[in-house]
């Protein structure tokens, strides 16, 4: 498969922005957070000028409040506030390119400041986790060399062998999360929410990658050139390439290779519930009232 033809991989201009910031004498921003911000904006609805996404208030809120906590997990020694700083750097670049006036720049700066601080809080909330983020935290907490795939597998194998109370005790010991209720707080509902967020977050990235690929390939049709084979006939191969790229990105934002392991070899440790499972959980706990069928007269239009 020629993935270059499919143009699936995002191409954020991270290095260029970092060079520009250095030339301007601006405060340094870590490469990883900036790369994540640029990639997620590229996969969103942001307009792109010369390879750099343009920020607006709605896009800024969508990124820092609604989306980025689905994907990123700052590693040991990394500052969660760096994502807000990366957004502010992008705002400054937008101003320098004369696509913002000073008043708008200041307003966006203020929004990025407080929403970046809010993001740091969101990253500490257990019910907003995804499985890759959670297991990344476990691996780092226990000093696992995440650059060694064998060490990662060994930890996951050991975790799999634990009884449920022992697993919950490890989760309650994660010091980079808020733990107001200790092990008792890791309820079935929290774990269900993690699985749902993982599935939804990955599918969102896959859909955005597909859309990006289609946009890039539209030019081939305009020029009368043939489409890549994966789109002309072997669509399953295209879907597989999309999923592989999504998993690569999710690993780049947590631990490389970990999201794929959790989706394949260790799926039992990272369950993603379907709709029926979620509905049954809600019903079992009486969270919704079901209609009394005995009162119905069988006339759906009554």
């Amino acid at each position: 498969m020629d993935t270059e033809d499919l143009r699936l991989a995002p191409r954020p201009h991270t290095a260029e922005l970092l060079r520009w910031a250095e030339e301007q004498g601006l405060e340094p921003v870590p490469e990883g957070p900036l790369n994540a911000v640029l990639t997620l904006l590229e996969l969103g609805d942001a307009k792109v000028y010369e390879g750099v996404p343009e920020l607006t208030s709605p896009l800024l809120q969508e990124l820092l409040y609604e989306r980025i906590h689905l994907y990123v997990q700052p590693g040991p020694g990394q500052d969660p506030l760096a994502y807000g700083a990366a957004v502010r750097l992008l705002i400054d670049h937008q101003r320098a390119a004369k696509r913002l006036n000073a008043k708008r720049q200041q307003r966006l700066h203020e929004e990025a400041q407080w929403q970046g601080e809010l993001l740091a809080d969101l990253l500490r909330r257990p019910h907003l986790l995804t499985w890759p983020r959670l297991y990344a935290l476990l691996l780092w907490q226990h000093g696992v060399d995440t650059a060694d795939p064998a060490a990662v597998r060994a930890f996951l194998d050991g975790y799999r062998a634990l009884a449920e109370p022992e697993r919950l005790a490890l989760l309650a010991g994660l010091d980079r999360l808020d733990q107001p209720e200790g092990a008792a707080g890791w309820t079935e509902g929290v774990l269900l929410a993690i699985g749902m967020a993982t599935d939804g977050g990955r599918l969102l990235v896959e859909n955005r990658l597909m859309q990006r690929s289609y946009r890039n390939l539209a030019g081939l049709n305009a020029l009368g050139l043939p489409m890549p084979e994966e789109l002309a006939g072997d669509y399953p191969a295209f879907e597989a390439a999309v999923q592989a790229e999504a998993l690569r990105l999710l690993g780049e934002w947590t631990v490389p290779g970990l999201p794929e392991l959790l989706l394949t070899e260790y799926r039992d440790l990272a369950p993603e519930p379907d709709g029926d499972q979620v509905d049954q959980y809600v019903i079992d706990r009486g969270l919704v009232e079901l209609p009394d069928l005995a009162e119905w007269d069988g006339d759906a239009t009554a």
Side-chain angles (χ1 to χ4, degrees), residues 85-145:
V87 170
R88 293 195 298 276
L89 173 60
L90 193 53
I91 293 167
D92 289 340
H93 184 271
Q94 201 168 317
R95 166 64 175 159
K98 302 186 187 304
R99 296 199 299 273
L100 279 180
N101 59 37
K103 184 176 181 180
R104 189 66 182 142
Q105 177 192 24
Q106 179 62 28
R107 182 175 298 177
L108 286 175
H109 251 283
E110 292 170 356
E111 293 178 15
Q113 178 71 38
W114 73 263
Q115 293 203 42
E117 293 171 358
L118 177 58
L119 171 63
D121 176 66
L122 297 178
L123 291 172
R124 294 190 59 85
R125 300 186 186 181
H127 68 284
L128 294 179
L129 286 164
T130 60
W131 291 123
R133 287 188 53 217
L134 177 58
Y135 281 100
L137 288 170
L138 281 169
L139 290 163
W140 294 327
Q141 177 99 359
H142 294 276
V144 177
D145 180 4

Side-chain angles (χ1 to χ4, degrees), residues 1-214:
M1 177 184 302
D2 191 342
T3 53
E4 181 65 25
D5 275 353
L6 294 175
R7 292 182 64 86
L8 281 173
R11 304 182 183 189
H13 288 214
T14 309
E16 293 91 328
L17 271 174
L18 289 175
R19 282 197 299 270
W20 176 83
E22 184 177 5
E23 292 167 358
Q24 300 301 311
L26 299 175
E27 186 174 344
V29 173
E31 179 179 356
L34 179 59
N35 193 69
V37 163
L38 290 173
T39 300
L40 285 168
L41 286 171
E42 183 179 337
L43 293 178
D45 298 319
K47 296 180 180 178
V48 178
Y49 293 90
E50 298 180 352
V52 180
E54 182 175 86
L55 277 168
T56 62
S57 287
L59 285 174
L60 191 154
Q61 177 173 327
E62 179 185 294
L63 174 70
L64 291 178
Y65 181 67
E66 299 174 15
R67 291 188 60 196
I68 202 167
H69 69 264
L70 284 171
Y71 305 112
V72 306
Q73 185 57 60
Q78 295 180 351
D79 186 358
L81 296 176
Y83 297 95
V87 170
R88 293 195 298 276
L89 173 60
L90 193 53
I91 293 167
D92 289 340
H93 184 271
Q94 201 168 317
R95 166 64 175 159
K98 302 186 187 304
R99 296 199 299 273
L100 279 180
N101 59 37
K103 184 176 181 180
R104 189 66 182 142
Q105 177 192 24
Q106 179 62 28
R107 182 175 298 177
L108 286 175
H109 251 283
E110 292 170 356
E111 293 178 15
Q113 178 71 38
W114 73 263
Q115 293 203 42
E117 293 171 358
L118 177 58
L119 171 63
D121 176 66
L122 297 178
L123 291 172
R124 294 190 59 85
R125 300 186 186 181
H127 68 284
L128 294 179
L129 286 164
T130 60
W131 291 123
R133 287 188 53 217
L134 177 58
Y135 281 100
L137 288 170
L138 281 169
L139 290 163
W140 294 327
Q141 177 99 359
H142 294 276
V144 177
D145 180 4
T146 53
D148 180 358
V152 172
R153 280 192 171 87
F155 177 84
L156 294 175
D157 288 337
Y159 188 79
R160 175 185 271 161
L162 297 176
E164 183 176 358
E166 296 172 301
R167 294 184 186 181
L168 295 181
L170 289 184
L171 298 181
L174 289 169
D175 55 19
R176 296 180 65 189
L177 294 176
D178 293 330
Q179 301 271 0
E181 299 179 60
W186 291 90
T187 63
E188 182 183 355
V190 170
L191 300 178
L192 197 68
I194 292 173
M196 293 169 60
T198 303
D199 177 60
R202 185 182 64 254
L203 290 178
L204 179 59
V205 170
E206 290 179 7
N207 288 337
R208 293 295 190 173
L209 286 169
M210 284 186 177
Q211 292 171 13
R212 180 182 183 279
S213 184
Y214 289 145

